[in-house]
Each structure stands twice: as C-alpha cells, then as structure tokens.
Amino acid sequence: MLGTLRALSEISGVSGDEGRVRQWLIQQLQDLAPCRTDALGNLIIEKKGQQRPEKKLLFCAQMDEMGLVIRGADELGNLRFDTIGKIDAAALAGKAVRVGEAGIPGVIGVKPVHLLEDEERERFPKMESLTIDIGAKDEAQALSLVHPGERAALFGSFSPFGEGLLRGRALDARAGCALLCALIREPLPFDCTFAFTVLGESGGAGAQTAAYACAPDFAIFAGAAAAGDFPNVPKKERACALRKGPVVPFSEGRTFYPQALCRLAGQTAQTLGIPLQQQEGHLSSAVPGALQSAGKGIGVLPVLIPCRYAHTSLPVLCESDLENARKLLCALAKELPAL
C-alpha cells in the first residue's frame, strides 16, 4: 500500500483537474474490475464479491487535492491566483509549486523581511499579496506559458521519517484512494461499488452525483482528519492524534453520522483489536456531507486517517494508522452489506 500512496502523492490533481490521478488509477485497477468514468469525471468501479448483498455498499474517496487556480498575471510576469480548498496564506508563502498541464516550476513569492514595514512584520502575509513567480519577464510571457483557469499544485517529496511516519504532498487527499485500491485488490465477501470522486475540495459535487447514480444503502468515506497533536494546541482541541488508530467521528460541524454505523465500527475495531478514535472530527473534505444528502439520503460512515499539517505542502501520516484503517475497511465490507 505504501507504494500506491507514494505514486498517488507524486501526481498533481487539484480540484477540477483530476485527470492524471484518474488515469493512473484506471491503469492500476482495470484488470481487477470494470472501470467507468461519469460525466463529471468520477471513476466508478464495480467489484464482484463472493455473493450479491441485500444492502448495497459504496466506498468513496476523493481524487482531488486543494491547490490554486490561475487568474492572470501582473506586469512583472508574476501569476495571480485564487485558492481551491481551505488554505492559509501562511502555509503558502515561499512554497514551491508546479503550474499548469506542463508542470512549470514556480515559487510563491512574498516580500522579503528586510523590505517589510514594522506593522507588516507583526502579521502573516495576506493572500492577495502573494503571487507565483515562474521566471517570466513580463505579463505577455507569463500568459504565453500559463493560461487563466489552469491549476497550480504545491510541491513536496514523499519520504518516510521518524518512527513509522510518512510525509508527502497531498497525503491528506490520497490516503483514502490508497485504502480503496488496497480493498479492491482483496477478495471481497460481497459485491461492492467504489467511487473515486472529483471536486471534493470544491464542495463535494462529484461525490453527490456518484452517490445519486450508484444509489447505495450505505457509504463509507475513506479520507483524512486533521490531527492536532503538536505544540500550543490544548489537549481538548486536538480532536485526534497520530499513532492512535483511525478516526470514526460521530459528527463534523452540522453533519451527524448514524449512531448505529458508528457503534458497528467501534465494535468491529474492538473485535479486531484495532485502536479507534471516536469523537467529533475535523475533516479536510466536504465529501461525507455530500454523500449523506444524495438522492433520498444515504447512511454515511467516515473512516479517517489522522493527518498532521493537513492542507499544507507536506501532510504527515502514520503507517500503523493506515494499516489499521485498511483492516477496519476490510471487516466493514463484510459487516455492512449483511445488515
């Protein structure tokens, strides 16, 4: 699974530009089960199991990541942009990016410290003050290389570090895809449907349309939850932590998940000896809420990987959390369709 996660981490797929991620998944999975792409770009896979279930189960993960969309350029050749997804300006200043279809290297420029006014040194840079430098000499050259509407993705290299930890770009988005790939490669007790969706960072329209078309009885979303186990965060606000197992939240904002499904996940984890964090979560995606409201309504269960530094250039995950989430998903693929 780590090889899959590494490969997915290295592919740019900002919301609305997920084609490269989808194509890689098709190449990996098309020999295991039929693959189809819907009108929005969601990848739908129907995996046959040992028997047909009474209740249809959909596994869902988003393909897209947060990032930037190019709006134009200034007279110095720097690209102006808007953000896609929840991104803080402090997480962008000075970061490396890859821009457009060609993956043009760039850096998000910020005024150097020796040019800052006193009051500017006391605060983080404002988003509107940031631009992307791609080495263009003027506006005309910049716009000959990159067109408005193209995406820019944060750049960072995948690597293990510390004791069982992983860092890499877009891990908070792609961990769910890696988990679903691992599940598709397993023999399944029941037929299951898998949806790798688009536009998760843009409101979850991809997940909503995929769920409407598939019309499942239950849906499991595999994704990431923002961990708060780092300095200056009070313990009561940490929500979840690395090395303590996957997270099954009972709610996220105004979205509440069925208590019966949360209890089933807790009982299943206990039976398997899997550590589980069950509490209010801090999701980095709108997908579960979109799934829940699709069609006539769907019972949704999020199974999330704790993730430090979500929505930055180098999110951090724990290998054991990832493996325990895989085991839990495999067990739920047997339990939920039989309800």
Side-chain angles (χ1 to χ4, degrees):
M1 186 162 53
L2 293 187
T4 296
L5 187 59
R6 178 191 290 271
L8 286 168
S9 170
E10 293 173 350
I11 305 172
S12 297
V14 176
S15 192
D17 186 28
E18 303 91 348
R20 289 177 292 275
V21 180
R22 181 175 57 248
Q23 189 56 42
W24 187 90
L25 289 168
I26 291 172
Q27 290 173 354
Q28 298 298 309
L29 302 173
Q30 61 186 349
D31 292 336
L32 300 174
C35 301
R36 61 182 174 86
T37 302
D38 69 12
L40 276 187
N42 298 309
L43 174 60
I44 311 297
I45 296 177
E46 303 280 354
K47 174 68 185 292
K48 289 293 184 182
Q50 296 174 3
Q51 56 183 307
R52 186 174 181 178
E54 292 185 11
K55 300 294 180 76
K56 186 174 183 179
L57 176 59
L58 171 69
F59 286 95
C60 181
Q62 68 179 77
M63 292 187 288
D64 62 306
E65 65 193 83
M66 60 86 183
L68 314 173
V69 58
I70 305 304
R71 293 302 186 193
D74 62 22
E75 71 279 3
L76 297 176
N78 299 306
L79 300 174
R80 294 181 286 105
F81 63 83
D82 286 337
T83 59
I84 301 176
K86 297 177 182 178
I87 314 176
D88 185 63
L92 292 179
K95 295 297 189 295
V97 294
R98 296 291 174 91
V99 186
E101 288 292 325
I104 297 171
V107 62
I108 299 177
V110 64
K111 188 188 293 186
V113 65
H114 62 276
L115 295 181
L116 294 176
E117 302 291 340
D118 288 342
E119 63 273 13
E120 290 179 309
R121 298 185 186 191
E122 300 299 321
R123 63 175 187 266
F124 287 122
K126 293 184 178 180
M127 193 69 75
E128 57 267 25
S129 71
L130 302 178
T131 56
I132 299 174
D133 185 351
I134 57 170
K137 63 182 180 181
D138 54 28
E139 179 180 4
Q141 186 179 44
L143 293 180
S144 71
L145 298 170
V146 180
H147 303 292
E150 289 194 273
R151 271 46 171 187
L154 294 176
F155 182 75
S157 58
F158 180 97
S159 66
F161 78 111
E163 186 178 341
L165 300 183
L166 305 166
R167 68 178 188 180
R169 60 169 307 281
L171 290 186
D172 47 348
R174 303 285 157 65
C177 292
L179 286 169
L180 264 57
C181 286
L183 197 56
I184 291 171
R185 292 183 175 114
E186 295 277 345
L188 298 175
F190 294 102
D191 299 348
C192 290
T193 303
F194 296 83
F196 298 87
T197 64
V198 299
L199 303 174
E201 298 295 337
S202 307
Q208 192 167 41
T209 57
Y212 177 83
C214 296
D217 295 286
F218 303 111
I220 294 179
F221 171 67
D229 55 342
F230 47 86
N232 303 318
V233 177
K235 187 174 181 180
K236 66 179 181 179
E237 297 178 10
R238 291 179 180 176
C240 63
L242 272 62
R243 299 189 174 95
K244 293 187 177 181
V247 182
V248 175
F250 60 80
S251 71
E252 169 61 23
R254 295 183 178 180
T255 301
F256 286 82
Y257 305 109
Q259 293 184 46
L261 298 186
C262 293
R263 282 196 296 268
L264 175 64
Q267 293 164 1
T268 303
Q270 186 175 20
T271 300
L272 295 174
I274 293 173
L276 191 67
Q277 302 179 73
Q278 287 185 291
Q279 54 197 305
E280 184 174 11
H282 294 286
L283 282 164
S284 59
S285 173
V287 170
L291 289 169
Q292 193 175 59
S293 59
K296 297 180 179 179
I298 297 168
V300 176
L301 178 69
V303 176
L304 311 175
I305 306 299
C307 178
R308 284 189 199 144
Y309 322 125
H311 281 210
T312 69
S313 59
L314 283 175
V316 171
L317 306 177
C318 178
E319 289 185 52
S320 65
D321 293 335
L322 197 67
E323 175 59 19
N324 282 324
R326 185 196 66 79
K327 293 177 182 177
L328 181 58
L329 290 175
C330 287
L332 291 172
K334 179 179 180 181
E335 299 286 344
L336 272 176
L339 286 181

